[in-house]
Amino acid sequence: MYINQTDPDETLTWLISELLDSEAKGEKVHIISHIPAGDDSFLMGWSHNFYEIVNRFENTIAAQFYGHTHNDHFQVYYEDSDPNGRPTHFNFITPSITTNAYKNPAYRIYTIDGGYLGASYTVLDAETYTTDITQANMEDEEPMWFLEYSTRLTFY
């Protein structure tokens, strides 16, 4: 039982410190974590505070990357947690390489803007690759990986 579910292990305190330092230096950061905030595995008070931190540092956090759910989806953050308000951030949640819950394995390759002075470090493209594991097993062959979609080509 957590008595303090807002920041029980001081992770958010550490994150704020790092983001303040990066903001002061004009740096862009990526947040990479296993479980996206708001998942049933998270404490709701912690998730609420994390959303507030992401909104506060929307100009410092260039991108966020997660997994855990075994699904190919995303989350949108909104100012004041109002889904009718201004969007402030976006999470990429990558599908799983494991065959959990009868889903085909998949992985994603991100193309990031960077490597030069003034780079935004935002995601330029996300290519998701998958395979038909049932077919590979039925034919007793190695899985054949293929591009399922490119975010840039599919949604722009």
Side-chain angles (χ1 to χ4, degrees):
M1 170 198 258
Y2 287 106
I3 294 173
N4 169 13
Q5 70 164 287
T6 57
D7 193 13
D9 62 357
E10 299 185 1
T11 302
L12 296 178
T13 302
W14 171 84
L15 178 62
I16 291 168
S17 175
E18 293 297 313
L19 290 170
L20 283 169
D21 185 55
S22 292
E23 181 181 65
K25 294 175 181 173
E27 297 173 337
K28 298 293 184 183
V29 303
H30 291 158
I31 294 177
I32 303 170
S33 181
H34 178 74
I35 304 173
D39 185 85
D40 291 341
S41 304
F42 267 89
L43 300 168
M44 293 316 295
W46 193 98
S47 290
H48 173 76
N49 286 336
F50 181 78
Y51 295 149
E52 293 298 317
I53 292 165
V54 169
N55 287 341
R56 160 60 180 84
F57 291 98
E58 68 177 293
N59 294 317
T60 300
I61 301 169
Q64 298 180 73
F65 307 95
Y66 298 92
H68 180 69
T69 68
H70 298 268
N71 294 310
D72 182 359
H73 60 120
F74 59 89
Q75 293 174 323
V76 179
Y77 292 71
Y78 295 96
E79 190 171 53
D80 300 323
S81 299
D82 177 4
N84 296 313
R86 181 179 69 86
T88 60
H89 230 286
F90 179 90
N91 284 354
F92 285 96
I93 304 172
T94 301
S96 176
I97 197 73
T98 62
T99 55
N100 185 38
Y102 305 102
K103 297 175 185 167
N104 281 320
Y107 66 92
R108 184 171 292 147
I109 298 174
Y110 295 96
T111 303
I112 307 292
D113 175 53
Y116 62 92
L117 188 62
S120 69
Y121 293 96
T122 57
V123 175
L124 299 175
D125 196 9
E127 296 176 319
T128 301
Y129 291 82
T130 190
T131 188
D132 186 334
I133 198 71
T134 302
Q135 180 182 352
N137 287 333
M138 287 180 5
E139 296 175 5
D140 196 27
E141 293 183 4
E142 292 292 318
M144 298 295 295
W145 294 92
F146 61 91
L147 177 65
E148 183 177 22
Y149 71 93
S150 155
T151 303
R152 185 177 192 144
L153 295 176
T154 304
F155 300 107
Y156 289 132

